[in-house]
Amino acid sequence: MELGFNLQALGIEWGTALMFGMLIALLLTGMPLAFVTLLVALIFALGWFGPMSIPLITSRVYSFVMNFVFVSVPMFVLMAAILDRSGIARDLFDAMKLFAGRVRGSVAIQTVFVSVILAAMSGIIGGEIVLLGLLALPQMLRLGYDRSLAIGVVCAGGSLGTMIPPSIVLIIYGLTANVSIGDLFTASFLPGFMLAMFYCAYILARAYLTPGAVPDIDPTPVPREEKLRLLKGLALPILVVFMVLGSIYGGIASVTEASAIGVGGVLLSTVLRGEFSYKLLRDAAMQTLATVGMIVWIGIGATAIVGVYNLMGGVDFVSGMITGISDNPTVIVLVMMAILFVLGAFLDWVGIALLTMPIFVPIITELGMDPVWFGVLFCMNMQVSFLSPPFGPAAFYLKSVAPPDISLGLIFRSLLPFIALQILAVGLLIAFPGITGR
Amino acid sequence: MTKDQREGEIDLVAITEGAARIAPEAGLMGRMVDRVAYIFAAGIVIAAAVLLMEVFLRYLLNRPTIWAHETTVFLCGLAFTFGGLYCTSRNSHIRVVLIYDWLPNGVRRVFNVIISIISAIASAFFAYAAWHMVTRAVWAPSGEIRLETTGSAWSPPTPALIKIFVFVIMILLVVQFLILAVNYARRAKG
Amino acid sequence: QEHSFKFQSSDPAGNPNFEFQQGWADLVAEKSEGAIEIEILPVGSVVEYNETLDAVAAGILDGQICDSSYWAGKDPAFGLISNPVGAWSDPEQMIDFVENGGGKELMQELLGSYGLQFIGVSTPGLEAFVSRVPLEGVDDLNGVKMRAPEGPVANVFSAAGASPVNLPSSEVYTSLDKGVVDAADYSVFSVNHQQGLNEIAPHPVYPGFHSLPLVEVSMNKTKWDALPDDMKTLLEETVKEFQQTQINGNREADEAALAEAEVDPNITVHNWSEEERAKFRKLGVAEWERIASQSPMAQKVFDTLTAHLQEKGMLE
Ligand code: NA
Ligand code: NA
């Protein structure tokens, strides 16, 4: 069958350029990301190899949806969806009041602490930002916090879910790069906390250096009984963290199974709190299906295009180009980071991981660098992608629950200092790989 | 703020809050997809329960099953595949709205029609390709029907079932995109 | 060049077995004086490892180098011929069966019906067993939680009283390290050792007793038929050379790794006695019979295999 166009005549250089141009142009029309990548994969499969090659795309779709490691995605989403519908996070937030102490900016600090605990329970963002947007943001605004500081803390803090283990970003990386997910989790603990501490340091700096950025300290002490009551709110979240991370590090479950243990833990918590109902579970499951459909189909589109591009010989071409840039491995890593920043502005992290990691990871290994360290670096880089405009999922999530006078433009402006902190963290990980403990 | 910008936000609320909101343009089919979605959502919960049970049996009783993991993968595979159709009916697939949001209403409607038609055509190609996959998974070279299995110790026919399901979903996607295109076109005129 | 082919491997780039396969591609280019150019693609680059047969049949890929047991889901016969648990204790025995004992003809019959041509056979060698607990024989397998490979091997371990757990290869290291499983089927001794498995699970069994995978080199039949006869012969001959290089290379690597492991005070290498190996083989044979009943081709594989073993006096 002759289709009247033969893309192969372009050669891999122009083929790559055309593919990239087509992706960007179609994306800008507002066509759903998943179908943009699927369509471009189809056009190149047809134009480069002919109709007999299209089953390659459906074969990859099949393999993608039948992957055991991917089972953790719906589990973490389900867990967050149940958490959203319970009062667990609210009580946790109240309890953290006790630890933020009587410093200036304590509610913002408290929000970061809550973020860290939520992050250690689950592996995704979205649910966490919505929760914090409903709990912490109104309180900070009411108390007179600077609006951009409050917005930034919620978005940046809520994004920590994928930086502190467990994390589906690291799980997908481990899958693509074929490195141990357990090692990735262990290596990302310290960098994740480091980033959270950067946020705290920034809050304190603003609190003590910028007049009016945060309200004055509330001098009324919390009574002892109240303290004990608040502390109870900490019990169930800690239990879930213990169940998820404990089952992985205690040798009870594989990483994928641990995500289901998290679901069990959160469900058990709602039962203990008397909040469990059939409706709660049903709504959470329906939301999970919708969210997972989005995430997985972005992955499906990306895996399709990667397969076609591989058959075209594109991966060799791109890795040749990247390694040709410099003899200095650090320069190559910096170029990779720059590519990820740019992609992160436009694409979802699932797509980025599946598109770039099959190219980047072999280069990293060949240069003698540690793929686990690189995975943590990638994960840190994806923190930026959540916040960076125009496609910043964290901002979208917050916008969906913020008061109407908070515009997307304001949210993105508020995120700039936090993006700077994330880039600083990326830089530190490159300069001092030892932070990952490797 | 235009009405459509608000619609965009409502989609995001739908994502985060999970309230079932089928796009009105998806028509009767969209509402049916929403009904059926319940089964696949339940599948995810069952998958979680099966995994929990497996950990329990293995860790406490030292008796892992040979079917738990493959069952989980199958249930999640069904949900993943169906999720694509579900998000299409809800119009909640992620898109970059950088330029799209600035387009005048009329132009945006035309864009919606064209995007839906192109997506329908692409899905039709994938349905054709999925059919190839199905023939290999369902019929042995001798021509007799034999569902492809995983080849594991348990060896359930889930590969063949998922391949058939991918084929069915691709066809349903074609139908759903065409319905969307027609309804966008109608609204553009009216 | 006159012929340019893309073969997908079931090994990742950088894996020693992948390098041996690339060595085959180089050898083909050299011997054909550039007339045949073969590009070896790493696992998963075009389609997933368990989808290459369909991709080669459809002409998307030109050929594949992979473990034939991946096709057990299409016909149980593939599972039996590629890994008759307990049949082989040396790679040469398996290769002798394929090349002279009727195996080649069976492989061609099986693959031919899917539109593929069987070119030749190789193997990484006898896999070693990774374990956290000391195993001196079949009885010690009782209650051991182990990561089981795909295919009939899991059933044999089940029959031996072990509890097979299905885990993706990316989770093997962590799961062994944390004790989610006590033992694992993974790869040959040198690869296990290089990946640090013997350190976290310091009771390896070597030589292994459970698995000696048949790795097939096969290609699209239409494209094969279009090749001139001398080129067909050249491909078949070079596969035999590649097979010897791979077996000897891995054997040397295994021995080097073994020497390292033996001086390591933390690692105890266990070697099963002949009686224990025979016991395990007996469980394997029961499983062969079960598989044989599942399809006509599986029965044919069973008959040919047992006839060959009988003739060689390997079936007591
Ligand atoms: Na996390
Ligand atoms: Na972004």
Side-chain angles (χ1 to χ4, degrees), chain C residues 195-218:
Chain C
Q195 303 214 341
L197 292 178
N198 292 339
E199 263 158 60
I200 53 170
H203 294 282
V205 181
Y206 179 88
F209 55 90
H210 68 294
S211 176
L212 194 153
L214 186 163
V215 169
E216 67 179 65
V217 182
S218 56

Short mmCIF file of all heavy atoms in Angstrom, two decimals, chain C residues 195-218:
data_model
loop_
_atom_site.label_atom_id
_atom_site.label_comp_id
_atom_site.label_asym_id
_atom_site.label_seq_id
_atom_site.Cartn_x
_atom_site.Cartn_y
_atom_site.Cartn_z
N GLN C 195 25.68 -8.01 40.24
CA GLN C 195 24.61 -7.13 40.69
C GLN C 195 24.47 -7.11 42.21
O GLN C 195 23.54 -6.51 42.74
CB GLN C 195 23.30 -7.52 40.03
CG GLN C 195 23.43 -7.50 38.52
CD GLN C 195 22.16 -7.07 37.82
OE1 GLN C 195 21.07 -7.11 38.38
NE2 GLN C 195 22.31 -6.66 36.59
N GLY C 196 25.37 -7.79 42.89
CA GLY C 196 25.36 -7.72 44.36
C GLY C 196 24.35 -8.63 45.02
O GLY C 196 24.14 -8.55 46.23
N LEU C 197 23.72 -9.52 44.25
CA LEU C 197 22.70 -10.38 44.84
C LEU C 197 23.30 -11.37 45.84
O LEU C 197 22.70 -11.69 46.85
CB LEU C 197 21.94 -11.14 43.75
CG LEU C 197 21.04 -10.29 42.85
CD1 LEU C 197 20.38 -11.15 41.79
CD2 LEU C 197 19.98 -9.57 43.66
N ASN C 198 24.52 -11.84 45.54
CA ASN C 198 25.14 -12.81 46.43
C ASN C 198 25.54 -12.21 47.78
O ASN C 198 25.76 -12.93 48.75
CB ASN C 198 26.36 -13.46 45.77
CG ASN C 198 25.95 -14.35 44.61
OD1 ASN C 198 24.80 -14.79 44.53
ND2 ASN C 198 26.87 -14.59 43.69
N GLU C 199 25.66 -10.88 47.80
CA GLU C 199 26.00 -10.24 49.07
C GLU C 199 24.79 -10.14 49.99
O GLU C 199 24.91 -10.32 51.20
CB GLU C 199 26.56 -8.84 48.83
CG GLU C 199 28.07 -8.81 48.83
CD GLU C 199 28.59 -7.61 48.08
OE1 GLU C 199 28.27 -6.49 48.49
OE2 GLU C 199 29.29 -7.82 47.06
N ILE C 200 23.62 -9.83 49.40
CA ILE C 200 22.44 -9.70 50.25
C ILE C 200 21.78 -11.06 50.48
O ILE C 200 21.03 -11.23 51.43
CB ILE C 200 21.42 -8.70 49.66
CG1 ILE C 200 21.09 -9.07 48.21
CG2 ILE C 200 21.95 -7.29 49.72
CD1 ILE C 200 19.94 -8.28 47.66
N ALA C 201 22.05 -12.01 49.58
CA ALA C 201 21.51 -13.36 49.74
C ALA C 201 22.70 -14.32 49.62
O ALA C 201 22.98 -14.87 48.57
CB ALA C 201 20.47 -13.65 48.66
N PRO C 202 23.43 -14.53 50.75
CA PRO C 202 24.77 -15.11 50.68
C PRO C 202 24.83 -16.64 50.59
O PRO C 202 25.87 -17.20 50.89
CB PRO C 202 25.43 -14.61 51.96
CG PRO C 202 24.30 -14.44 52.91
CD PRO C 202 23.07 -14.13 52.12
N HIS C 203 23.74 -17.29 50.18
CA HIS C 203 23.79 -18.74 50.05
C HIS C 203 23.45 -19.21 48.63
O HIS C 203 22.51 -19.98 48.45
CB HIS C 203 22.86 -19.41 51.07
CG HIS C 203 23.30 -19.21 52.48
ND1 HIS C 203 24.32 -19.93 53.05
CD2 HIS C 203 22.88 -18.33 53.43
CE1 HIS C 203 24.50 -19.53 54.30
NE2 HIS C 203 23.64 -18.55 54.56
N PRO C 204 24.20 -18.75 47.62
CA PRO C 204 23.90 -19.15 46.24
C PRO C 204 24.11 -20.65 46.04
O PRO C 204 24.94 -21.25 46.73
CB PRO C 204 24.90 -18.35 45.41
CG PRO C 204 26.04 -18.06 46.34
CD PRO C 204 25.41 -17.90 47.69
N VAL C 205 23.30 -21.22 45.14
CA VAL C 205 23.53 -22.61 44.76
C VAL C 205 24.17 -22.60 43.38
O VAL C 205 23.60 -22.08 42.42
CB VAL C 205 22.21 -23.41 44.73
CG1 VAL C 205 22.50 -24.86 44.36
CG2 VAL C 205 21.50 -23.34 46.07
N TYR C 206 25.40 -23.16 43.29
CA TYR C 206 26.12 -23.19 42.03
C TYR C 206 26.85 -24.52 41.89
O TYR C 206 27.48 -24.95 42.84
CB TYR C 206 27.12 -22.04 41.96
CG TYR C 206 27.92 -22.04 40.68
CD1 TYR C 206 27.45 -21.39 39.55
CD2 TYR C 206 29.15 -22.72 40.60
CE1 TYR C 206 28.17 -21.41 38.36
CE2 TYR C 206 29.87 -22.74 39.41
CZ TYR C 206 29.39 -22.10 38.31
OH TYR C 206 30.09 -22.11 37.13
N PRO C 207 26.83 -25.19 40.77
CA PRO C 207 26.02 -24.88 39.58
C PRO C 207 24.53 -24.97 39.91
O PRO C 207 24.13 -25.74 40.78
CB PRO C 207 26.42 -25.97 38.60
CG PRO C 207 27.66 -26.60 39.13
CD PRO C 207 27.64 -26.38 40.60
N GLY C 208 23.74 -24.20 39.17
CA GLY C 208 22.30 -24.18 39.43
C GLY C 208 21.66 -25.51 39.09
O GLY C 208 22.29 -26.40 38.53
N PHE C 209 20.42 -25.66 39.44
CA PHE C 209 19.74 -26.93 39.21
C PHE C 209 18.42 -26.74 38.52
O PHE C 209 17.75 -27.69 38.16
CB PHE C 209 19.51 -27.64 40.55
CG PHE C 209 18.76 -26.78 41.54
CD1 PHE C 209 17.37 -26.82 41.58
CD2 PHE C 209 19.42 -25.91 42.41
CE1 PHE C 209 16.66 -26.01 42.47
CE2 PHE C 209 18.72 -25.11 43.29
CZ PHE C 209 17.34 -25.16 43.32
N HIS C 210 18.00 -25.48 38.34
CA HIS C 210 16.59 -25.27 37.99
C HIS C 210 16.34 -24.79 36.58
O HIS C 210 15.24 -24.96 36.07
CB HIS C 210 15.97 -24.29 38.97
CG HIS C 210 16.51 -22.89 38.82
ND1 HIS C 210 17.81 -22.58 39.12
CD2 HIS C 210 15.94 -21.77 38.38
CE1 HIS C 210 18.00 -21.30 38.88
NE2 HIS C 210 16.90 -20.78 38.43
N SER C 211 17.31 -24.15 35.95
CA SER C 211 16.96 -23.50 34.69
C SER C 211 18.16 -23.33 33.77
O SER C 211 19.21 -22.87 34.19
CB SER C 211 16.35 -22.13 34.99
OG SER C 211 16.08 -21.43 33.81
N LEU C 212 17.98 -23.77 32.53
CA LEU C 212 18.99 -23.54 31.51
C LEU C 212 18.20 -23.09 30.28
O LEU C 212 17.70 -23.91 29.52
CB LEU C 212 19.77 -24.82 31.23
CG LEU C 212 21.07 -24.69 30.45
CD1 LEU C 212 22.02 -25.81 30.80
CD2 LEU C 212 20.87 -24.60 28.96
N PRO C 213 18.01 -21.78 30.13
CA PRO C 213 17.07 -21.30 29.13
C PRO C 213 17.56 -21.49 27.69
O PRO C 213 18.76 -21.37 27.42
CB PRO C 213 16.94 -19.81 29.46
CG PRO C 213 18.14 -19.46 30.25
CD PRO C 213 18.60 -20.71 30.93
N LEU C 214 16.63 -21.82 26.83
CA LEU C 214 16.92 -21.93 25.40
C LEU C 214 16.70 -20.55 24.79
O LEU C 214 15.58 -20.03 24.82
CB LEU C 214 15.99 -22.95 24.76
CG LEU C 214 16.17 -23.36 23.30
CD1 LEU C 214 15.43 -24.66 23.05
CD2 LEU C 214 15.71 -22.33 22.30
N VAL C 215 17.75 -19.95 24.28
CA VAL C 215 17.62 -18.65 23.65
C VAL C 215 17.60 -18.84 22.14
O VAL C 215 18.54 -19.40 21.57
CB VAL C 215 18.77 -17.71 24.08
CG1 VAL C 215 18.78 -16.45 23.23
CG2 VAL C 215 18.62 -17.35 25.54
N GLU C 216 16.51 -18.42 21.52
CA GLU C 216 16.38 -18.63 20.08
C GLU C 216 16.85 -17.40 19.31
O GLU C 216 16.68 -16.27 19.75
CB GLU C 216 14.93 -18.93 19.71
CG GLU C 216 14.01 -17.73 19.93
CD GLU C 216 12.56 -17.99 19.54
OE1 GLU C 216 11.93 -18.84 20.20
OE2 GLU C 216 12.06 -17.35 18.59
N VAL C 217 17.48 -17.66 18.16
CA VAL C 217 17.72 -16.60 17.19
C VAL C 217 16.80 -16.92 16.03
O VAL C 217 16.89 -17.99 15.43
CB VAL C 217 19.19 -16.58 16.72
CG1 VAL C 217 19.43 -15.43 15.75
CG2 VAL C 217 20.13 -16.50 17.90
N SER C 218 15.84 -16.03 15.76
CA SER C 218 14.88 -16.33 14.71
C SER C 218 14.53 -15.06 13.97
O SER C 218 14.78 -13.96 14.46
CB SER C 218 13.62 -16.97 15.31
OG SER C 218 13.07 -16.12 16.29
#
